[in-house]
Amino acid sequence: MVFSDIGDYAPIGTQGDPRGATAENGQRIWETTVAYLAEAAVKFSQMKLKA
C-alpha cells in the first residue's frame, strides 16, 4: 500500500495541536507545497521514458 489512512495514526482524523497555527504559516506551507509540486511536474514532463 502506498498511502495509509490517517485513521491508522489519529483515530479522530487529525494530528498535532493547532493552537500554534497562523495564517502566515499556512500561506508559507501552501506556497512551498505548490512550488514543489510545480517543479516536480516540470521535471516529470521532461523525463524520457523507455518503451
Side-chain angles (χ1 to χ4, degrees):
M1 177 177 1
V2 175
F3 297 101
S4 60
D5 188 324
I6 188 79
D8 293 343
Y9 309 102
I12 63 171
T14 63
Q15 286 183 300
D17 183 352
R19 291 178 288 183
T22 65
E24 292 79 15
N25 283 342
Q27 185 68 32
R28 183 175 47 84
I29 291 167
W30 173 255
E31 289 172 358
T32 300
T33 301
V34 169
Y36 175 82
L37 292 173
E39 182 179 349
V42 169
K43 287 181 179 180
F44 184 76
S45 72
Q46 295 170 344
M47 289 175 68
K48 303 289 187 228
L49 303 177
K50 297 178 182 176

